[in-house]
Structures are given as C-alpha cells and as structure tokens.
Amino acid sequence: MIRVLLFGRLRDVAGWRETAIEPAPASLAALKGLIAERWPDLSEALAGPGVQAAVNRGLVRGDAVLAAGAEVAFMPPMSGG
Amino acid sequence: MIRVLLFGRLRDVAGWRETAIEPAPASLAALKGLIAERWPDLSEALAGPGVQAAVNRGLVRGDAVLAAGAEVAFMPPMSGG
Amino acid sequence: MITLTDQAFDPGAALTAFSAGRSESGAVASFLGLARGEAGQSTALELEAWPEFTAPEIEKMAQSARQRFALHDVAVIHRVGEIAPGEAIVMVMTAAAHRREAFEACDYLMDYLKSRAPLWKKEHGPAGARWVEPTARDLADLERWGS
Amino acid sequence: MITLTDQAFDPGAALTAFSAGRSESGAVASFLGLARGEAGQSTALELEAWPEFTAPEIEKMAQSARQRFALHDVAVIHRVGEIAPGEAIVMVMTAAAHRREAFEACDYLMDYLKSRAPLWKKEHGPAGARWVEPTARDLADLERWGS
C-alpha cells in the first residue's frame, strides 16, 4: 500500500486530497500509469507545467522506486508569501 | 548682523556652536575670510572634504550674497541612520 | 525561527521580540506581506500548507539565507488557512551587522517564499475562486539570486 | 511621516501603527538600525541634528522615494541625542502594492539617510569619542541610485 497526497488545484481537479493505493505500484512511473487509467483529469493536470512530486517528503525528478508504505505527494506550482 | 551655526566636528574644532557677527559680511566668501582671521583652525576644517554650507536653511555651492540677518550653517559630512 | 500559524498575528509584536536585546546587530530588515482587497475583487485568501513538509522546506531556505548573508538571526512567520484583506500573510525578519546583508537576505527569502515554498494560495472573490501561481515577475526576481 | 525624537521608541509599535488598516498595500518593508556595542568599544552614540533643517530635508527624501517607487506611504523615525547600544537609531517603513517597490524604496531611503541627512554621529567608547562619517561602502551604496 502507498499513500498519495494532492495539493492546491490538483486536489480540486481530482476531487480528493488523499488516497491509499493497494497493491503498491513499484515506481512513480507505475503510479502515474495507474492514475492515468483511474483519474484521467488528474493525470492531465500532473503533466502541466511546474508540477512536482515528493516521495517520503523529498522532492524527486524523473522516476523513483516506491517501497511499500511510501508517501507520494503531487504539488502544483508553489505560491507563498 | 549675521548668525553662524556649526555642527558636528566643526563645533568641536571651533569650541562654539553659534555666534553672531557684526557688521554682516556681504558674502559667504567674505565670511570665510573673516573666519580665517579669527578662527584659523575652523577655517582649515571648513576647507576639508565634504563640508557644506547652508544660507537661510538652503544648501549653497560656491559663493552667496549674505543679507543682514542671514543665518549661515557649516556642516561636516552628514551621517544619519 | 519558522512559524506556520492559522491565527492572525501582530507584526509589531513580532518585530519587538525579534529586535530586543541585540547589541551587536546594527541592522534589522523586515518584510510584511498583507492580503490585498483588490478593491473588493478579493474577499479572502486561502493558504494551504503541508505543515510537515512546508515548515522544514522554509527552514532550509532560512538557513541558506543565514549562511549566504552572514545573518545573526532570521525569522519567518507564515499564515495558513483563511486570511482577510489587510491581514498579514507573511513576515520575514533578518538581523545582520550591516544593512546591505539584512536587506538582501530579506529580499532573497521573500523571492524564495513566493515561488519555492510549499504553499498554495487560492483567492476568493465575487466571481468565484482561483488558484494563484507565481507571476513572471516573481520568477524573474528569483533568478536574480542565481540558482 | 517624519519623526525626530530624543526618546527611545518601540519599533514594533511603530510597525503595528504603520501597517494597520492597509487593505490595498500588499507590501510593507521596514529597516531598523540599532546602536551596536562593538563588544564594549562603543558605549553610546550621540546623534546631533539641526531639527528645523533636518526634518524638512528628510521629508524631501521621503517624498522623492514616494514618487520614484510609487509608494502608498512612507515613515521615518530618527533618534537624536544619546543612544545606548541595542537601542533603535532609525526606522524606515514603506508601503506599496508589491514587494519590489517597498524593498527598493526602503533601501534607497536608508542610503540617503546614511550620507545625506543632516545628522552628525559621535561614537563614545573607552578610548574617547570620535565623529563617524559615511564609509566608502555607504557612498558606493548611494551611487547605485544614480544621483
């Protein structure tokens, strides 16, 4: 099982903030494939400019291995201040 | 009669802060000549870098006519903040 | 010190606390970001954070500023949740020996917070709500720092 | 607003007052200059002003900043007289729509105050007293503004 978290407009697009996926996909790429099947609107939004992914609270670029229990967050462009 | 005001280190050099000069010198240049006679140390300090003069609270460069009752201030380099 | 809070805070009290007892820091710069009403077009801001990630990321930025500008101290307070026009959103304070370092560190931190802090801002108004993203100017500002 | 005062002032109270009720100014920058103790080498600063001239000259600088940076508001508080280490010497606050203008105006005003405000600063220490004059860095900072 892995947990997936969404922030900002990604949450509005998907209609959820957090979900658990079982069985765990083996990689970030596999997770994205699964998202494309289940939530095509979210999948499109994830491909937009400036969307970043974090695995276990560390930003990742490209693909990453997902261990069981991993926490994956997808974050649209950040805007503090 | 004119009034002369000194600020900062010029006051320490001259040993006074304000004085009246009677009869009134006709110009800033004439006033400086008079200062050179009476207060040679101050005269030397006035020639130092960054010393500015104000006549009736307006900064002047070069010479300026002094009317009776004029207020002349000599100011060393400014240092606020 | 990094503070994320869902309560309104008093910028003056924060500045008094930050600047008290500093006899070797000649310079304290601060920046305070307030929610603009946009003449009625913005009725509230909603700031979303992921506290367990947002606070450590801002702490990293603050430590980067501290080293780069030889700061004596740095503090960031960031509101989260719903914010009314005129209320403080963010406050950055920097203390240094001289003013240039204090100013530049404050400027640098604000540029980073605007485009790199894990926060998401939604503006609510009469015409609905929209997510705010960094502007071209925000991104250009960030590029000044060369990273 | 320009204030010259021979009494210690509370920077936080000044910031609270300055930033209150601003629903259209997104940005308030401030700078606070504190008297440094220089590890015991400076026991007090003495700031001499010529109030009838100093206040109007600072007001001119503030108005110049207001126009140049499209400020919504600006305030300068400057201590005069004897100032102990850790006490506030000067505080500049600027309010603008966006942060760049607020920061730059604050920076600009500090550079002007350092080298162009009719104030004279004497530092007292165990070895005696000396008049402080703008440093080469102060003058270089001022030149950035092109005048």
Side-chain angles (χ1 to χ4, degrees):
Chain A
M1 192 270 284
I2 64 162
R3 289 200 313 141
V4 178
L5 308 180
L6 301 180
F7 293 93
R9 63 178 166 73
L10 298 178
R11 173 166 46 85
D12 288 357
V13 168
W16 49 268
R17 185 192 181 94
E18 180 173 346
T19 195
I21 293 184
E22 176 82 62
S27 67
L28 195 55
L31 170 61
K32 286 180 178 172
L34 185 152
I35 287 172
E37 286 171 24
R38 284 198 211 169
W39 300 287
D41 289 353
L42 175 60
S43 179
E44 195 176 319
L46 291 183
V51 174
Q52 295 183 86
V55 174
N56 297 330
R57 297 178 194 170
L59 292 172
V60 297
R61 288 166 185 266
D63 201 7
V65 170
L66 298 182
E71 175 192 65
V72 179
F74 291 109
M75 298 177 285
M78 297 163 174
S79 173
Chain B
M1 191 271 281
I2 65 162
R3 290 202 310 142
V4 179
L5 308 180
L6 302 180
F7 293 92
R9 62 177 166 75
L10 299 178
R11 172 164 49 84
D12 287 356
V13 168
W16 50 266
R17 185 194 181 92
E18 181 174 346
T19 195
I21 294 185
E22 176 83 63
S27 68
L28 196 54
L31 171 60
K32 284 181 178 171
L34 187 151
I35 287 172
E37 287 171 23
R38 285 201 209 165
W39 300 287
D41 289 354
L42 175 59
S43 179
E44 194 177 319
L46 291 182
V51 173
Q52 295 182 87
V55 174
N56 298 329
R57 296 179 194 167
L59 292 173
V60 298
R61 288 165 186 268
D63 201 5
V65 170
L66 298 181
E71 175 192 67
V72 179
F74 291 109
M75 297 176 287
M78 297 163 173
S79 172
Chain C
M1 197 177 67
I2 309 303
T3 308
L4 293 180
T5 174
D6 60 2
Q7 302 295 312
F9 66 91
D10 176 358
L15 181 63
T16 295
F18 186 77
S19 54
R22 298 202 178 279
S23 63
E24 297 303 334
S25 299
V28 173
S30 83
F31 180 84
L32 176 62
L34 303 172
R36 283 195 305 273
E38 308 284 11
Q41 293 309 296
S42 176
T43 53
L45 284 182
E46 189 185 331
L47 256 291
E48 183 186 356
W50 177 16
E52 305 89 326
F53 185 65
T54 306
E57 287 290 306
I58 295 177
E59 178 68 38
K60 279 185 213 167
M61 292 175 195
Q63 291 312 320
S64 154
R66 184 190 274 264
Q67 287 175 20
R68 180 168 178 160
F69 300 100
L71 298 180
H72 295 178
D73 201 0
V74 54
V76 177
I77 306 173
H78 213 300
R79 270 289 290 281
V80 297
E82 191 158 319
I83 305 170
E87 286 186 351
I89 305 170
V90 62
M91 185 170 188
V92 171
M93 294 174 283
T94 54
H98 300 284
R99 72 186 182 286
R100 184 114 325 279
E101 289 77 9
F103 268 130
E104 290 189 357
C106 200
D107 197 5
Y108 167 94
L109 271 172
M110 278 307 305
D111 283 351
Y112 271 82
L113 288 167
K114 275 279 170 182
S115 310
R116 294 283 182 271
L119 290 158
W120 298 276
K121 188 189 288 165
K122 201 174 198 172
E123 187 177 277
H124 294 266
R130 68 176 192 98
W131 289 99
V132 179
E133 296 193 354
T135 63
R137 196 180 183 195
D138 289 330
L139 298 173
D141 280 348
L142 185 59
E143 291 205 344
R144 295 181 301 152
W145 308 106
S147 51
Chain D
M1 198 174 67
I2 310 301
T3 307
L4 293 180
T5 175
D6 61 2
Q7 302 295 312
F9 65 91
D10 177 356
L15 182 63
T16 295
F18 186 78
S19 56
R22 299 202 177 278
S23 62
E24 297 304 333
S25 299
V28 173
S30 83
F31 181 84
L32 176 64
L34 303 172
R36 283 196 304 273
E38 309 285 9
Q41 293 309 296
S42 176
T43 54
L45 284 183
E46 190 185 332
L47 256 291
E48 182 185 357
W50 176 17
E52 305 89 329
F53 185 67
T54 306
E57 287 290 307
I58 294 177
E59 179 67 38
K60 279 186 214 167
M61 291 175 196
Q63 291 311 319
S64 153
R66 185 190 274 264
Q67 286 174 22
R68 179 168 179 162
F69 300 100
L71 298 181
H72 295 178
D73 201 359
V74 55
V76 177
I77 305 171
H78 214 299
R79 270 290 289 282
V80 296
E82 191 158 316
I83 306 171
E87 287 186 350
I89 305 171
V90 61
M91 185 172 188
V92 171
M93 294 175 282
T94 56
H98 299 284
R99 72 185 182 288
R100 185 114 324 283
E101 289 78 9
F103 268 130
E104 290 188 357
C106 200
D107 197 4
Y108 168 94
L109 271 171
M110 279 306 305
D111 283 350
Y112 271 81
L113 288 167
K114 275 278 169 182
S115 310
R116 293 284 182 270
L119 291 158
W120 298 275
K121 188 187 289 167
K122 202 174 197 173
E123 188 177 277
H124 294 265
R130 67 176 191 100
W131 289 99
V132 179
E133 296 194 353
T135 62
R137 194 181 185 193
D138 288 329
L139 297 173
D141 280 348
L142 185 60
E143 292 206 343
R144 296 182 302 152
W145 308 105
S147 52

